[in-house]
Amino acid sequence: MSESAIPALSTWVEVPKNSDFTIYNLPFGVFKNKKLSPRIGIAIGDKIVDLSVLDQEGFFSSFFLPEGIFLKDSLNELIELGKTQTKKIRERVQQLLLAENEELRDHSARGKVMVNRKEAEMLLPVKIGDYTDFYSSIEHATNVGKMFRDPENALLPNWKHLPVGYHGRASSIVVSGTPIHRPKGQFKDPDMEKPAFGPSRRLDFELELAFITGKSTKLGDSVSTSEAEDYIFGFVLFNDWSARDIQAWEYVPLGPFLGKNFGSTISPWVVTLEAIEPFRVQGPSQDPEVLDYLKCENPHSFDIQLEVAIQPEGKSASKICTSNFKYMYWNIAQQLAHHTVNGCNINVGDMMASGTISGATEDSFGSMLELSWKGTRPVKLADGEERRFIEDGDTVIMKGFSEKDGIRVGFGEVSGQILPAKN
Ligand code: MN
């Protein structure tokens, strides 16, 4: 048995083959339906375990949880209880769902506890305080550098010395399924004499993962790479919509602004760090050596397979990208250590996105900008369609999952449709 072998578990819940929401995963989310007010649940198969009902029925009686902790419209207060508590809650649910455990299986409240996922409306899982976007894929940064600057010196001098990032906008982060209107703004292409205003003509997605912080720090304090994971609760898929034409004109000298803040979309189920633990891998080696505060004793990369599909309105979806989170040059511990090294404080519910996750091959690029190489190579879709960028009516669907020894832990999906610009 290898040291990372996962113990085999079976559950009395019927979990469809290839479901992301296995007994090994048990992600947290916030949902409501026609009868139920917003509340916190854990996904398994096609069901949601309603934690508020479990609590009312006394299944957490030894935990001394604050009253109504699961009857909330965000995970923030639950996460704030700390990892020891949230880990115990998730482990308790896992135990209750085991095939041989009759506590819930044979309980009269079982029907009330297990809610159909299909009938549930998923809400934004956290109240996001601050949002930061990194730029941590060397392949993505190199591609962008080649396109917009010097192909010979694609990476800027700082890139291999620090995880480049910027502060984004939290207010416009929405949950999967929320349509986004094409943004309007200023652009000035190289061949234009003066800037023009109108709907973006180069609307793009960015394939990313984001982590949610689960512990606060005080202003002035820093988090080291070895402590970083204590501050990370879990992950969601993150589509960082980008208007390339607006971005290219506005970004000098202060960075991304209106080309980015019109919307970002996240998946509703927060997959915990514990759930992806079996998929931990060594990241790419870093050369030149990084400064001491960015050095890591242990690996902080994860083997998470990612894919993107485009579905034009009324047509079938076409997969256009297959990538992996493990390609990222800078890891989550380095990102958090760098973010706080100057004393910047973090709060529970902050969101930190990875940056576009591109791989080395052309089919693993995590944005249309790269896939169509700045619009010069149209990407073929099914039904005779092709795309350089995202068109009105298109739905972009991202999926992510880890799989090993027949065990799967996944994120479900994040999807969003682009509507025409508003008048
Ligand atoms: Mn981004």
Side-chain angles (χ1 to χ4, degrees):
M1 197 173 93
S2 79
E3 57 175 339
S4 58
I6 310 165
L9 304 173
S10 60
T11 171
W12 49 262
V13 182
E14 205 182 307
V15 178
K17 201 175 177 291
N18 284 331
S19 174
D20 281 347
F21 305 127
T22 61
I23 185 79
Y24 306 95
N25 189 355
L26 306 178
F28 289 87
V30 181
F31 73 100
K32 65 177 184 180
N33 65 21
K34 283 197 179 112
K35 288 187 201 138
L36 305 173
S37 60
R39 60 199 54 216
I40 294 173
I42 279 183
I44 179 153
D46 295 333
K47 299 282 182 184
I48 299 172
V49 180
D50 184 335
L51 297 183
S52 73
V53 179
L54 272 190
D55 193 23
Q56 283 153 18
E57 296 293 334
F59 286 98
F60 297 118
S61 55
S62 62
F63 285 48
F64 304 103
L65 298 171
E67 211 180 309
I69 187 74
F70 300 115
L71 283 172
K72 305 282 178 189
D73 61 3
S74 82
L75 297 175
N76 294 52
E77 284 171 65
L78 175 68
I79 295 173
E80 199 149 17
L81 297 178
K83 226 181 236 238
T84 319
Q85 277 293 46
T86 53
K87 246 171 104 169
K88 264 172 66 187
I89 291 166
R90 185 173 158 273
E91 281 165 10
R92 171 71 172 139
V93 171
Q94 188 173 56
Q95 177 194 51
L96 288 171
L97 297 175
L98 289 178
E100 63 275 16
N101 188 318
E102 74 263 11
E103 281 180 88
L104 177 61
R105 189 190 69 197
D106 300 343
H107 195 281
S108 59
R110 170 174 156 177
K112 228 176 121 193
V113 170
M114 306 301 286
V115 178
N116 285 330
R117 210 149 55 75
K118 262 194 191 127
E119 287 150 28
E121 181 191 336
M122 297 308 298
L123 307 178
L124 196 70
V126 279
K127 282 203 178 72
I128 302 157
D130 280 301
Y131 155 53
T132 301
D133 193 21
F134 285 96
Y135 191 58
S136 290
S137 155
I138 194 164
E139 291 84 2
H140 174 68
T142 303
N143 286 339
V144 173
K146 277 185 191 167
M147 273 184 257
F148 292 97
R149 287 184 303 270
D150 176 7
E152 299 305 310
N153 296 291
L155 291 179
L156 286 167
N158 62 1
W159 200 91
K160 283 187 165 182
H161 297 279
L162 55 89
V164 169
Y166 71 95
H167 285 301
R169 179 113 191 132
S171 69
S172 52
I173 299 177
V174 295
V175 73
S176 179
T178 311
I180 299 275
H181 283 275
R182 179 175 298 273
K184 292 180 291 187
Q186 274 194 35
F187 41 81
K188 185 187 169 300
D189 299 344
D191 60 351
M192 289 163 68
E193 222 169 85
K194 52 185 188 176
F197 174 83
S200 168
R201 303 140 314 144
R202 288 190 211 117
L203 184 55
D204 201 353
F205 62 81
E206 288 187 337
L207 169 63
E208 305 194 20
L209 276 171
F211 67 78
I212 293 162
T213 51
K215 198 170 156 185
S216 308
T217 61
K218 286 199 191 80
L219 187 66
D221 286 352
S222 303
V223 177
S224 68
T225 56
S226 58
E227 301 162 323
E229 289 192 6
D230 298 341
Y231 290 80
I232 295 172
F233 175 71
F235 293 82
V236 290
L237 296 168
F238 193 97
N239 179 353
D240 185 20
W241 299 101
S242 300
R244 300 298 179 194
D245 43 0
I246 297 171
Q247 186 182 356
W249 171 231
E250 75 177 356
Y251 88 105
V252 187
L254 286 188
F257 190 33
L258 306 186
K260 294 282 187 180
N261 68 6
F262 60 92
S264 305
T265 312
I266 63 169
S267 54
W269 290 104
V270 184
V271 175
T272 61
L273 200 49
E274 291 78 45
I276 58 166
E277 180 60 43
F279 307 99
R280 187 184 290 275
V281 290
Q282 189 71 51
S285 63
Q286 297 181 318
D287 180 26
E289 197 180 36
V290 297
L291 290 171
D292 282 348
Y293 80 95
L294 290 169
K295 284 184 183 148
C296 298
E297 271 175 45
N298 299 306
H300 298 281
S301 294
F302 297 89
D303 182 353
I304 301 172
Q305 302 179 49
L306 300 163
E307 53 185 63
V308 185
I310 295 181
Q311 182 168 25
E313 188 140 45
K315 304 215 164 153
S316 45
S318 302
K319 198 202 295 190
I320 53 161
C321 159
T322 308
S323 189
N324 196 306
F325 190 50
K326 71 181 176 189
Y327 302 148
M328 301 305 273
Y329 189 87
W330 295 103
N331 66 50
I332 53 172
Q334 293 175 318
Q335 288 170 339
L336 197 56
H338 183 65
H339 201 307
T340 57
V341 75
N342 64 344
C344 169
N345 54 330
I346 56 167
N347 291 301
V348 171
D350 287 351
M351 186 160 281
M352 304 199 184
S354 57
T356 307
I357 305 163
S358 294
T361 57
E362 283 179 17
D363 60 353
S364 64
F365 294 167
S367 65
M368 288 306 287
L369 179 71
E370 297 162 89
L371 289 164
S372 77
W373 207 255
K374 226 177 162 183
T376 60
R377 302 178 205 152
V379 176
K380 293 249 180 300
L381 308 182
D383 306 322
E385 298 267 334
E386 55 177 43
R387 288 289 181 277
R388 290 174 161 82
F389 289 95
I390 303 303
E391 295 187 4
D392 290 349
D394 287 356
T395 299
V396 175
I397 305 152
M398 296 174 179
K399 295 181 183 176
F401 63 93
S402 298
E403 207 160 28
K404 189 172 134 184
D405 307 332
I407 285 160
R408 185 169 167 121
V409 170
F411 289 78
E413 63 174 43
V414 57
S415 82
Q417 190 185 29
I418 293 299
L419 302 179
K422 273 195 173 182
N423 283 324

PDB file of all heavy atoms in Angstrom, residues 133 206 208 240 260, ligand 1:
ATOM      1  N   ASP A 133      -6.632  38.558  -7.395  1.00  0.00           N
ATOM      2  CA  ASP A 133      -6.370  37.658  -8.512  1.00  0.00           C
ATOM      3  C   ASP A 133      -4.866  37.599  -8.757  1.00  0.00           C
ATOM      4  O   ASP A 133      -4.224  38.631  -8.910  1.00  0.00           O
ATOM      5  CB  ASP A 133      -7.090  38.168  -9.771  1.00  0.00           C
ATOM      6  CG  ASP A 133      -7.112  37.120 -10.884  1.00  0.00           C
ATOM      7  OD1 ASP A 133      -6.955  35.925 -10.589  1.00  0.00           O
ATOM      8  OD2 ASP A 133      -7.296  37.518 -12.052  1.00  0.00           O
ATOM      9  N   GLU A 206     -11.384  33.300 -18.226  1.00  0.00           N
ATOM     10  CA  GLU A 206     -10.109  32.813 -17.718  1.00  0.00           C
ATOM     11  C   GLU A 206     -10.405  31.630 -16.814  1.00  0.00           C
ATOM     12  O   GLU A 206     -11.208  31.738 -15.877  1.00  0.00           O
ATOM     13  CB  GLU A 206      -9.356  33.916 -16.948  1.00  0.00           C
ATOM     14  CG  GLU A 206      -8.798  34.989 -17.874  1.00  0.00           C
ATOM     15  CD  GLU A 206      -7.903  36.015 -17.174  1.00  0.00           C
ATOM     16  OE1 GLU A 206      -8.019  36.191 -15.951  1.00  0.00           O
ATOM     17  OE2 GLU A 206      -7.085  36.635 -17.876  1.00  0.00           O
ATOM     18  N   GLU A 208      -9.753  29.452 -13.905  1.00  0.00           N
ATOM     19  CA  GLU A 208      -9.005  29.601 -12.651  1.00  0.00           C
ATOM     20  C   GLU A 208      -9.633  28.777 -11.534  1.00  0.00           C
ATOM     21  O   GLU A 208     -10.780  28.349 -11.625  1.00  0.00           O
ATOM     22  CB  GLU A 208      -8.998  31.086 -12.208  1.00  0.00           C
ATOM     23  CG  GLU A 208      -8.466  32.028 -13.276  1.00  0.00           C
ATOM     24  CD  GLU A 208      -8.127  33.430 -12.769  1.00  0.00           C
ATOM     25  OE1 GLU A 208      -7.940  33.604 -11.552  1.00  0.00           O
ATOM     26  OE2 GLU A 208      -8.055  34.347 -13.614  1.00  0.00           O
ATOM     27  N   ASP A 240     -12.844  34.027 -14.476  1.00  0.00           N
ATOM     28  CA  ASP A 240     -12.511  35.449 -14.388  1.00  0.00           C
ATOM     29  C   ASP A 240     -12.739  36.092 -15.761  1.00  0.00           C
ATOM     30  O   ASP A 240     -11.804  36.298 -16.536  1.00  0.00           O
ATOM     31  CB  ASP A 240     -11.048  35.583 -13.941  1.00  0.00           C
ATOM     32  CG  ASP A 240     -10.652  37.015 -13.699  1.00  0.00           C
ATOM     33  OD1 ASP A 240     -11.545  37.851 -13.500  1.00  0.00           O
ATOM     34  OD2 ASP A 240      -9.440  37.302 -13.715  1.00  0.00           O
ATOM     35  N   LYS A 260     -12.114  43.876 -16.144  1.00  0.00           N
ATOM     36  CA  LYS A 260     -12.201  42.723 -15.257  1.00  0.00           C
ATOM     37  C   LYS A 260     -13.388  42.768 -14.298  1.00  0.00           C
ATOM     38  O   LYS A 260     -13.933  41.724 -13.941  1.00  0.00           O
ATOM     39  CB  LYS A 260     -10.925  42.645 -14.400  1.00  0.00           C
ATOM     40  CG  LYS A 260      -9.681  42.349 -15.182  1.00  0.00           C
ATOM     41  CD  LYS A 260      -9.625  40.884 -15.513  1.00  0.00           C
ATOM     42  CE  LYS A 260      -8.301  40.521 -16.151  1.00  0.00           C
ATOM     43  NZ  LYS A 260      -8.247  39.100 -16.482  1.00  0.00           N
TER      44      LYS A 260
HETATM   45 MN    MN B   1      -7.581  36.353 -13.862  1.00  0.00          MN
END
